[in-house]
Amino acid sequence: MQSKIAFCLACCLWIINSTALTALQEKPFTVGTATASPGHKASGVIEIPAGSDAALNIPVVVVRGTKPGPTLAIVAGLHGTEYASIIAVEHLIETVDPATVSGTLILVPLVNVNSFEQIIPHLNPADGKNMNRMFPGNMSGTQTDRASFLITREVVEKCDHLIDLHGGDLDESLRPYSYWTRTGNDKLDAVSREMVLAFGLDHVIISTDRPKDPAASRYLENTATTRGKASITAEAGYAGTVAQEDVEALVRGCQSVMRFFKMLPGQPERVAHPVWIESIETITSEQNGIFYPLVKRGTRVAKGTSLGYLTDYVGNKIMDARAPADGEVLFIRAIPSMTKGQTIANIGVVGTPK
Ligand SMILES: [Zn+2]
């Protein structure tokens, strides 16, 4: 009799537990105006209301899996002319099948709609601000501030992990790489390290200088990280191009991170021999002029190697741009236009295995 009761209790617990799990997955998931029930994909917008300047609708797609699992946000187009990253998220929107997903995907393919439509690199032309520098934002500021605030509320606070996708902008010839933020929180850093390795890009920049204060997080990835959510940034694409290999690298990277979190069946494709970039040396232009590059992105250079030169508008050489350190050309100016203070190249200083 006693054993029958014990058996019944076990049964009841199992039924209660499985009902709870089922009930959890029966709930729809909402971001902005997009509400997806389990097994479905829904699209909508995050509505940024008008304030001191115009309103903005940021497109969003929610993919709600049928099985329980984490919520992963994948965001692109904070810089609206880093096209390969935007097209990669468009590809994910088209191809991810909610029936195969465990957990939930929040896909934001294009935050900086004005930049995309007006073909303006780096900034939101509505207010001249960089959309990856104003997080966590506020509702009393300009459009970028308000967008940052509502992305923080709708995307960052609703996800468990975030991947922020970028690439070389219109004026940058960039080799693919990802960023691993080292916060000092070993548990968090171990998860983001696995994410960055699962993403599969073989060059990883180690960020140690990101703000620690969640109220002054600046960057999107850092807004998630400072809220205790292990997250990464990855970049591929350059100078307005949409090369298949760059788009595929970003799509495969996102899918592989989903496998790491068991959101998709299969094993992640972990990068076997990552190149860790311990610091970045930036060389900036001393004058306005015409830039002529002498090396390509991805080239290993020694300190003092000539990376390119600058002339005035009648052909007189006015600057020789030399590598400030031994390292790899992470990106180099892709176009002749150059003004004083702009970046000529970023040299990644290669570190030891991590
Ligand atoms: Zn960017």
Side-chain angles (χ1 to χ4, degrees), residues 148-218:
S148 301
F149 181 86
L150 290 173
I151 289 169
T152 301
R153 193 186 78 185
E154 287 298 299
V155 178
V156 176
E157 287 179 1
K158 290 182 179 179
C159 75
D160 299 307
H161 301 286
L162 182 143
I163 303 174
D164 184 19
L165 297 181
H166 288 258
D169 216 319
L170 289 177
D171 53 358
E172 296 167 339
S173 182
L174 177 144
R175 65 116 47 246
Y177 51 77
S178 48
Y179 287 90
W180 174 42
T181 299
R182 250 184 157 166
T183 64
N185 174 339
D186 291 345
K187 206 172 154 191
L188 192 75
D189 296 351
V191 178
S192 56
R193 184 179 183 279
E194 287 306 307
M195 287 176 74
V196 92
L197 294 176
F199 199 91
L201 300 180
D202 68 351
H203 282 54
V204 182
I205 296 170
I206 304 168
S207 295
T208 53
D209 57 352
R210 296 274 157 107
K212 307 259 190 263
D213 178 4
S217 53
R218 270 171 71 81

